[in-house]
Amino acid sequence: MKVLLVTSNWTETLGHVVRGIAIAEQLIKQGHQAAFLCPKSYRDLLPQQAEWYESAPKPSFTNKIYFGLHTYEDILFASGHTEPQQIICTVEREREVIQEYVPDIILNDEQFTIGISASLEHVPVASIVTWPLHPNFCSPQEPDIPLRAMMLRRLRGSWNQVLDKYDLQPVLHLSELLFNRSSLLMAPTSPTLEPELAYQDPHVQYVGHLAPQGKFAEVPSWMNALDHPEPEQATVFIYLSSLPFGMNTIDSFELLADSYRGTDMQAVFGIGKFNDAAEQQLRRLEGPNIRFERFVPGEAMMGRSQLAIFPGTHSMMVSAAKHGVPCLLFPDFFERAYNASCLERVGLGFICEADGFTSEQIRDLSQQLISCRDEHTLALQVQVELKALGGASKAVAHMDTFLQEQQVSSHFG
């Protein structure tokens, strides 16, 4: 099996590439071939045995006028993916790579243009999906923003103009390019944690947590010390996302560092991908029990933590659920509010508003959550589900089975 793994070229967050890396590692382990079409910033993270093609560049601008980040269509608009020529440039780059690599199947992680390029090149697509990606996902804010409908008409009009150029059917919602134009839909979560997908589309396959190995699971020397903390000393894992906005601010880091300074809890902060300019300022917040690291191997860290603090990013949500780690959540926009509600519903999350919280309140909440760990039967059910689903090996099996069935169908006409 020859697989082309395509990641979003419009956000470049770690969450988009780690899922593909997990699947690529499994493909290579089983003797299959894997190649990535992704931004250059991901290249050093990819398995050495995987080929790499650079994706089309992102737009050089961001729309300053928009109505909040409520859905993925809003994010596409805000990131500048609104001009037909930009969309066509991305499609043509994808077609070029598909023609050169000649994959049996494409694994798509939220790259909407693959719904166009793969159709034109007649290559089947397996898409990684979540409920907030679904066309029927509705944000409560939408009815309150009448002008937003005009923005969405403009955005969809641009994409439908491109679809018309290529003689393809138009869409009513851009997420149809993922859900309706993929042969296989795989959800990196579990039915209990994220049940809406099964209600909306019974063909969705839940595969569980897609956690890579390699440097993402390696235990660095500094982490070994966390295995032998002082008696009763808990470890708190804090990651405020790799996006350069929302909760990911200096003020947030300072508030959380102050919350644990001088306590019997160890706080480990992942600085994140876009905080280069602030790294030295952040490291000045370090103390005997407070550590900042540019890169923290998330899966290894989650397995050593008694509490996680993050805005509600998807991979962190599933990792925390898999390890049964209670979470203090600060959702800042769109899907993160939904992800936070999933953890709260199964008894693993406490949702906070960043504004108005004091370090004393965060410290008290942290102690309460840590002391109540393992008390929720639904959280234990989710743990069992996620471990049984199979993760990357299950995703590879689904793709392999699909291609075999296609060969049989083709053979018998």
Side-chain angles (χ1 to χ4, degrees), residues 94-338:
E94 290 166 357
R95 296 183 71 187
E96 179 183 27
V97 172
I98 291 168
Q99 291 167 12
E100 181 176 341
Y101 184 65
V102 194
D104 298 311
I105 191 168
I106 294 170
L107 179 75
N108 183 17
D109 195 331
E110 298 183 16
Q111 181 70 348
F112 291 80
T113 45
I114 285 295
I116 302 173
S117 56
S119 295
L120 295 170
E121 298 302 324
H122 308 289
V123 180
V125 177
S127 286
I128 293 174
V129 297
T130 63
W131 168 234
L133 266 172
H134 198 280
N136 291 341
F137 179 87
C138 292
S139 172
Q141 300 98 315
E142 290 178 18
D144 299 328
I145 312 171
L147 289 177
R148 184 170 172 274
M150 181 173 63
M151 178 205 83
L152 291 177
R153 281 198 299 272
R154 175 189 166 195
L155 176 69
R156 293 163 184 163
S158 293
W159 283 73
N160 281 327
Q161 184 178 333
V162 174
L163 286 162
D164 182 65
K165 166 186 162 53
Y166 290 117
D167 295 322
L168 297 174
Q169 289 295 311
V171 295
L172 297 176
H173 190 288
L174 296 188
S175 284
E176 293 173 26
L177 293 169
L178 298 176
F179 279 86
N180 299 353
R181 307 205 179 177
S182 298
S183 301
L184 182 62
L185 301 173
M186 298 187 292
T189 180
S190 81
T192 302
L193 189 62
E194 199 169 336
E196 291 90 346
L197 277 171
Y199 301 149
Q200 290 292 330
D201 195 329
H203 301 296
V204 169
Q205 304 288 342
Y206 288 92
V207 297
H209 191 210
L210 297 175
Q213 299 302 305
K215 68 183 298 182
F216 289 92
E218 291 173 358
V219 179
S221 56
W222 62 263
M223 196 182 289
N224 286 324
L226 302 179
D227 289 338
H228 308 284
E230 296 297 324
E232 305 302 321
Q233 187 174 24
T235 297
V236 183
F237 177 23
I238 302 165
Y239 183 58
L240 302 184
S241 152
S242 54
L243 288 175
F245 50 81
M247 182 66 181
N248 190 12
T249 66
I250 293 292
D251 288 345
S252 299
F253 279 106
E254 289 177 344
L255 173 66
L256 291 168
D258 287 343
S259 300
Y260 299 107
R261 196 177 311 282
T263 70
D264 59 359
M265 290 179 272
Q266 300 180 104
V268 178
F269 291 78
I271 293 176
K273 187 175 179 181
F274 293 105
N275 286 328
D276 294 24
E279 183 168 355
Q280 292 306 313
Q281 185 176 351
L282 291 173
R283 290 193 182 279
R284 285 197 289 271
L285 299 174
E286 287 187 322
N289 66 321
I290 298 173
R291 186 181 192 98
F292 285 82
E293 290 290 335
R294 161 65 54 193
F295 175 80
V296 176
E299 188 70 0
M301 189 72 238
M302 195 68 79
R304 288 162 169 73
S305 300
Q306 286 71 50
L307 178 69
I309 298 179
F310 57 104
T313 48
H314 193 273
S315 292
M316 286 279 285
M317 169 186 74
V318 184
S319 181
K322 176 183 172 183
H323 291 281
V325 178
C327 305
L328 198 56
L329 301 155
F330 292 87
D332 42 17
F333 59 86
F334 179 33
E335 66 162 357
R336 296 175 178 185
Y338 168 75

